[in-house]
């Protein structure tokens, strides 16, 4: 496995692979890798000749500078994991390598068709501008055949699908496919997240109430016949009743439009919860 730190070296490696007729799978990450990331990489390795993994904590998608500073970083451990599961290239640039000074200080503009105005977008203004900025940059640099993204960040995934469709990237790069990969959970049910590293043992135990409540909500919807509004409120009340947890939002929305829905058909429930100072997200499909 080779670690690449410059755009020039990355593009040279990509061109060499392309000339040899090899397919490329890309897994964009911000590092602090766990088994959820590993599942994406293993799939990319299996489905492509070459797997490129980016490890880059993207400053333009953080509207909270303190959150950016506290985001866990461990490139040595990340590289060890990626090497063990078969990734051929790791792209680990600095912010200065990735962006010009002007790009770092200018909001990246994109028409999200309203997908950025709800849930995470509402709570984190500008966040998805940064996501689209970095992911589009990675697509142009790597020119992958397939890009792999986890469903835990469901709103982000919906926006990336929209970006690819709107930008005609599929045509530009032959046939770029976005591969949706299911949430990976601990045995306890807690969704794997890089932010879990910031939880104490007690906080991890407390955070289990998030996934347990979401799974219970399936029963409330399907077996008890509760309405969408009733399930939504019950999830919020149940999680908020746990000491140490505070719901920022819980929305039941259409999986395509991300707009609130009154039916469970094609619906997904997306939640953000503060466990102490740590902000956790999860979701459940109905």
């Amino acid at each position: 496995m080779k670690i690449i730190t410059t755009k020039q070296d990355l593009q040279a490696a990509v061109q060499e692979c392309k000339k040899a007729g090899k397919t490329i799978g890309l897994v964009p990450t911000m590092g602090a890798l766990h088994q959820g990331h590993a599942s994406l990489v293993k799939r990319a390795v299996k489905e492509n000749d070459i797997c490129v993994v980016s490890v880059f904590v993207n400053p333009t998608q953080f509207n909270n500078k303190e959150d950016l500073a506290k985001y866990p970083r461990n490139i040595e451990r990340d590289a060890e994991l990626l090497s063990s599961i078969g990734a051929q290239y790791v792209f680990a640039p600095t912010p200065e390598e990735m962006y010009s000074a002007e790009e770092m200080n200018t909001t990246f503009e994109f028409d999200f068709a309203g997908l950025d105005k709800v849930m995470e977008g509402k709570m984190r203004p500008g966040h998805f501008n940064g996501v689209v900025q970095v992911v589009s940059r990675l697509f142009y640099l790597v020119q992958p055949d397939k890009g792999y993204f986890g469903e835990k960040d469901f709103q982000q995934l919906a926006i990336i699908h929209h970006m690819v469709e709107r930008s005609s990237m599929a045509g530009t790069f032959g046939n770029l496919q976005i591969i949706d990969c299911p949430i990976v959970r601990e045995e306890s049910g807690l969704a794997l997240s890089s932010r879990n590293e910031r939880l104490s043992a007690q906080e991890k135990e407390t955070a289990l109430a998030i996934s347990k409540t979401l799974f219970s909500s399936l029963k409330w919807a399907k077996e008890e016949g509760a309405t969408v509004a009733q399930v939504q409120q019950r999830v919020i009340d149940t999680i908020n009743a746990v000491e140490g947890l505070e719901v920022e939002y819980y929305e039941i929305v259409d999986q395509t439009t991300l707009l609130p829905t009154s039916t469970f058909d094609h619906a997904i429930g997306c939640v953000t919860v503060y466990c102490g100072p740590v902000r956790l997200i999860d979701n459940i499909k109905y």
Side-chain angles (χ1 to χ4, degrees):
M1 187 188 76
K2 183 176 181 181
I3 298 177
I4 297 174
T5 58
T6 70
K7 293 180 288 187
Q8 184 177 359
D9 287 348
L10 176 64
Q11 288 182 300
V14 165
Q15 289 308 312
E16 189 175 330
C17 293
K18 293 284 186 181
K19 285 179 182 177
K22 295 181 178 180
T23 57
I24 299 176
L26 170 67
V27 184
T29 82
M30 292 207 300
L33 304 182
H34 49 67
Q35 289 304 308
H37 296 109
S39 69
L40 273 64
V41 175
K42 288 175 182 177
R43 185 166 175 183
V45 168
K46 182 179 179 180
E47 296 179 357
N48 303 273
D49 300 316
I50 299 294
C51 173
V52 177
V53 181
S54 64
V55 176
F56 177 63
V57 182
N58 178 36
T60 67
Q61 69 188 66
F62 284 82
N63 57 324
N64 184 328
K65 299 304 180 186
E66 185 178 341
D67 196 21
L68 171 61
K70 289 183 177 179
Y71 197 88
R73 296 164 172 85
N74 194 328
I75 186 62
E76 292 81 11
R77 190 183 67 182
D78 291 344
E80 186 177 339
L81 171 63
L82 293 171
S83 179
S84 72
I85 56 179
Q88 284 89 352
Y89 295 102
V90 175
F91 180 47
T94 62
E96 293 75 20
E97 173 65 23
M98 200 65 168
Y99 302 122
S100 68
E102 182 180 357
E103 289 170 332
M104 283 281 286
N105 295 303
T106 304
T107 301
F108 185 82
E109 297 295 339
F110 183 77
D111 181 2
F112 294 91
L115 295 174
D116 63 326
K117 301 300 183 187
V118 298
M119 298 188 294
E120 287 296 284
K122 188 176 181 180
M123 299 299 173
R124 303 173 69 187
H127 168 67
F128 289 117
N129 294 79
V131 170
V132 168
Q133 181 181 28
V134 71
V135 173
S136 61
R137 176 73 43 96
L138 289 168
F139 284 166
Y140 281 117
L141 290 171
V142 179
Q143 301 179 48
D145 297 277
K146 295 179 180 179
Y148 295 79
F149 297 85
E151 290 186 339
K152 184 169 73 72
D153 296 287
F154 192 85
Q155 186 173 6
Q156 172 179 283
L157 183 56
I159 283 173
I160 288 167
H161 275 290
H162 172 70
M163 177 185 74
V164 171
E165 291 162 8
R166 182 173 179 81
S167 302
S168 300
M169 285 186 175
T172 302
F173 298 136
N175 188 24
L176 173 59
Q177 297 178 58
I178 302 302
I179 308 299
D180 304 2
C181 300
I183 295 174
V184 177
R185 300 182 181 276
E186 296 183 4
E187 270 189 49
S188 62
L190 181 66
L192 291 179
S193 170
S194 300
R195 295 175 189 271
N196 291 357
E197 290 188 16
R198 293 174 54 195
L199 299 173
S200 67
Q202 180 56 56
E203 286 171 335
K204 284 192 76 172
E205 189 70 25
T206 300
L208 294 180
I210 301 170
S211 58
K212 286 181 179 178
T213 302
L214 293 183
F215 289 129
S216 294
S217 75
L218 293 177
K219 180 180 178 181
W220 305 337
K222 296 180 179 180
E223 296 180 20
E224 298 181 12
T227 65
V228 167
Q230 289 169 337
V231 169
Q232 186 168 325
Q233 192 59 51
R234 189 169 174 183
V235 166
I236 293 170
D237 292 344
T238 302
I239 295 176
N240 279 340
V242 178
E243 185 176 355
L245 297 183
E246 182 180 354
V247 176
E248 185 174 60
Y249 67 80
Y250 180 62
E251 299 283 350
I252 298 176
V253 299
D254 180 85
Q255 291 184 38
T256 302
T257 66
L258 302 185
L259 294 175
T261 178
S262 59
T263 173
F264 288 108
D265 294 337
H266 197 58
I268 186 168
C270 299
V271 71
T272 293
V273 180
Y274 278 95
C275 182
V278 183
R279 189 175 186 271
L280 302 173
I281 65 172
D282 203 345
N283 62 66
I284 194 85
K285 291 180 180 178
Y286 291 100

